[in-house]
Amino acid sequence: MDFEPLSIALKFAFLGVLYLFLFWIAVAARKDLRRNANGGSGDQTGISSGGGTARDAWLIVESSDSLDRGSRFDLFGGVTLGRSADADIAFTDRYASGIHARVYPRAGRYFVEDMNSTNGTLLNGTPVNGEIEIRDGSTLAIGDTSFRLQIDD
């Protein structure tokens, strides 16, 4: 039996899959570049890469059914907030998603980003769409749980 036609077909199939994989990587890279184009310099990981030094900052619990009022959470390197045990700041709230939002430093400033949660995140009473800079004294609300940002100079 002659396996040469089958061998050639498998080679072309492999090349096709390889090109699809490379195309998928190019599309993902292009999407990341577009997202970063309007976000300024720096990366989206939440870790400051220069261009300013992040100051010490904390999220302080203002109200919560599961966290003690006045509890402080350090924002060094960024944190995720939500109902999941995988969140850096995990709390019980019927309106919170598993990983609901994240707060992270970039270029000496702090930003909050809603992680496509079901019920949304509020910054000073305004819905968070995308990433928004969060300033000292700002209030971050997720359902019935609220936090205040404190930045030390």
Side-chain angles (χ1 to χ4, degrees):
M1 179 172 235
D2 188 19
F3 289 108
E4 186 174 343
L6 180 61
S7 174
I8 291 173
L10 287 175
K11 287 178 185 177
F12 280 111
F14 175 73
L15 286 175
V17 170
L18 180 64
Y19 282 121
L20 282 175
F21 178 70
L22 292 174
F23 177 74
W24 177 72
I25 289 174
V27 168
R30 185 175 179 193
K31 186 188 299 184
D32 283 345
L33 288 172
R34 282 185 177 167
R35 182 175 46 195
N36 291 340
N38 62 3
S41 63
D43 61 62
Q44 297 293 318
T45 63
I47 299 173
S48 180
S49 61
T53 58
R55 299 166 289 177
D56 289 336
W58 292 271
L59 280 180
I60 301 171
V61 177
E62 293 286 308
S63 66
S64 175
D65 292 336
S66 62
L67 299 172
D68 293 331
R69 181 177 163 82
S71 296
R72 296 166 52 106
F73 297 95
D74 190 2
L75 295 180
F76 179 76
V79 295
T80 55
L81 299 99
R83 198 176 57 217
S84 171
D86 293 332
D88 297 317
I89 302 174
F91 54 92
T92 304
D93 190 306
R94 62 185 174 193
Y95 298 110
S97 297
I99 300 293
H100 194 98
R102 70 179 183 136
V103 178
Y104 57 95
R106 186 175 68 212
R109 301 181 302 172
Y110 284 88
F111 293 85
V112 62
E113 180 180 12
D114 184 83
M115 303 302 288
N116 296 321
S117 64
T118 303
N119 295 307
T121 303
L122 299 177
L123 178 61
N124 297 324
T126 304
V128 173
N129 295 317
E131 63 179 32
I132 297 178
E133 183 176 358
I134 184 171
R135 299 180 188 274
D136 189 30
S138 295
T139 301
L140 184 66
I142 296 173
D144 296 328
T145 305
S146 64
F147 301 89
R148 180 176 44 85
L149 179 72
Q150 179 181 341
I151 300 176
D152 287 348
D153 290 322

